[in-house]
Amino acid sequence: MSTENFPSDFANLSSLQQKLLHELRQNSARAVMFHQLISEKMGLNATDHKCLDFLNRTGPVTAGQLAQLTGLTTGAITSVIDRLEQAGYVIRDKDPNDRRRVVVKSVPEGAARISPLFQSVAQSTLQIISQYTDEELQLILNFIRQCNDMTLAEMNKLKEE
Amino acid sequence: MSTENFPSDFANLSSLQQKLLHELRQNSARAVMFHQLISEKMGLNATDHKCLDFLNRTGPVTAGQLAQLTGLTTGAITSVIDRLEQAGYVIRDKDPNDRRRVVVKSVPEGAARISPLFQSVAQSTLQIISQYTDEELQLILNFIRQCNDMTLAEMNKLKEE
């Protein structure tokens, strides 16, 4: 979020509250930029990367199902699958349960190429976490969970507008 | 980050640590998706939105300077500025200090259109923060700051690879 877009009554915040809001905004920006960098390293754009994420969670699905899951049009999803296939992250294959249906599935070699990009950040995250007591971690967990639920609720409000 | 890409020795984590890692991953995903939604609402793609963010922080700059700041090529930045200008977020104007130079600057009306999109999430964030004591907020601030610094360091490592 962007503190410079905050309502003017936010000027009454304590220095600590202002610092935290600033750091949360930075956190959001870092996540977006990290995601973009990983996508670039994968030779994908952010939408392709996100569709691959969905596919990794669902297992093999048809192009139509993937369009529905992601909210993209069937035209857009075809281009996404073409790029993912060309970059070697997915293949189109016949559904073993229904040979007339073509499904898209992710390729283990693709996942193996992505995994190392996350290993270092995972180790570093764990190193930070290990500095805190269980009681402190529980407090942080509650806070992050509240923020995540709130962001989802705010997105749903925005979508309805 | 993605816990499914974590090294296998991460299986030894406590339930609390695993929950926090999961929630941090969710936090990152939410930030990316929130950013995408806001960009869509603005009629921009994520890169355009990010360049506008840079421009709002720097004030008027030349296209070449903006390319340098964002890491984009001069070709790519020209397209970005074209789209931002057409969508009414920036204008190209003569530099008052050097009339031979053309600078890009953001338009107040553009900022006024973006601001309301952030107001509700800002209010909701403040509502969450108000539930915590100063001591708790300081702990959360330290944790988020550590994560932000770490992510930047990891990005710099990734860029060098």
Side-chain angles (χ1 to χ4, degrees), chain A residues 41 120 132 146 154 158, chain B residues 41 120 124 132 146 154 158:
Chain A
K41 286 268 167 184
S120 179
Y132 292 85
Q146 276 186 297
E154 291 293 331
L158 269 176
Chain B
K41 287 267 167 185
S120 179
S124 300
Y132 292 86
Q146 275 186 298
E154 292 293 330
L158 270 175

Side-chain angles (χ1 to χ4, degrees), chain B residues 25-76:
Chain B
R25 182 194 174 189
Q26 272 290 95
N27 188 253
S28 181
R30 289 266 185 275
V32 171
M33 287 160 67
F34 182 75
H35 178 88
Q36 284 182 340
L37 187 62
I38 291 277
S39 300
E40 270 172 48
K41 287 267 167 185
M42 292 167 64
L44 300 173
N45 71 39
T47 307
D48 299 343
H49 182 189
K50 198 158 158 263
C51 289
L52 184 60
D53 258 358
F54 274 99
L55 204 57
N56 280 329
R57 270 179 275 163
T58 58
V61 290
T62 66
Q65 287 170 324
L66 192 57
Q68 222 166 5
L69 280 168
T70 56
L72 293 177
T73 63
T74 47

Side-chain angles (χ1 to χ4, degrees), chain A residues 109-124:
Chain A
E109 294 76 26
R113 274 155 61 205
I114 301 168
S115 190
L117 296 174
F118 285 97
Q119 298 234 345
S120 179
V121 76
Q123 295 278 11
S124 301

Side-chain angles (χ1 to χ4, degrees), chain A residues 141 145, chain B residues 11-22:
Chain A
L141 174 61
R145 200 175 265 161
Chain B
N12 299 327
L13 296 184
S14 75
S15 156
L16 182 60
Q17 288 173 321
Q18 284 178 24
K19 277 184 200 158
L20 183 56
L21 287 175
H22 167 79

Side-chain angles (χ1 to χ4, degrees), chain A:
Chain A
M1 73 220 63
S2 167
T3 45
E4 72 214 26
N5 291 309
F6 278 5
S8 52
D9 55 307
F10 280 37
N12 299 327
L13 297 183
S14 74
S15 156
L16 182 58
Q17 287 174 321
Q18 283 178 25
K19 276 184 200 158
L20 183 55
L21 288 175
H22 168 78
E23 213 60 47
L24 288 171
R25 182 194 176 189
Q26 272 289 92
N27 188 252
S28 183
R30 288 267 185 273
V32 171
M33 287 160 68
F34 183 75
H35 178 88
Q36 284 182 340
L37 187 61
I38 292 276
S39 300
E40 269 172 48
K41 286 268 167 184
M42 291 167 65
L44 300 174
N45 70 39
T47 308
D48 300 343
H49 183 189
K50 198 154 158 267
C51 289
L52 184 60
D53 258 358
F54 274 100
L55 205 57
N56 281 329
R57 270 179 273 163
T58 60
V61 290
T62 66
Q65 288 170 323
L66 193 58
Q68 222 164 5
L69 280 168
T70 56
L72 293 178
T73 63
T74 48
I77 209 74
T78 303
S79 311
V80 169
I81 297 170
D82 285 346
R83 280 192 301 269
L84 286 173
E85 195 170 27
Q86 199 166 8
Y89 291 103
V90 307
I91 55 164
R92 286 176 166 102
D93 200 8
K94 287 199 176 113
D95 185 348
N97 301 316
D98 179 353
R99 306 286 297 169
R100 290 162 306 178
R101 251 166 51 125
V102 171
V103 289
V104 186
K105 53 186 185 186
S106 62
V107 173
E109 294 76 26
R113 274 155 61 205
I114 301 168
S115 190
L117 296 174
F118 285 97
Q119 298 234 345
S120 179
V121 76
Q123 295 278 11
S124 301
T125 306
L126 199 58
Q127 214 166 351
I128 294 175
I129 286 179
S130 67
Q131 298 164 17
Y132 292 85
T133 67
D134 276 3
E135 202 186 341
E136 290 170 339
L137 289 181
Q138 188 64 57
L139 176 82
I140 293 164
L141 174 61
N142 291 347
F143 178 79
I144 303 284
R145 200 175 265 161
Q146 276 186 297
C147 288
N148 289 350
D149 291 348
M150 178 275 287
T151 306
L152 185 61
E154 291 293 331
M155 287 178 69
N156 286 331
K157 276 204 276 183
L158 269 176
K159 277 184 200 161
E160 279 160 21
E161 271 168 20

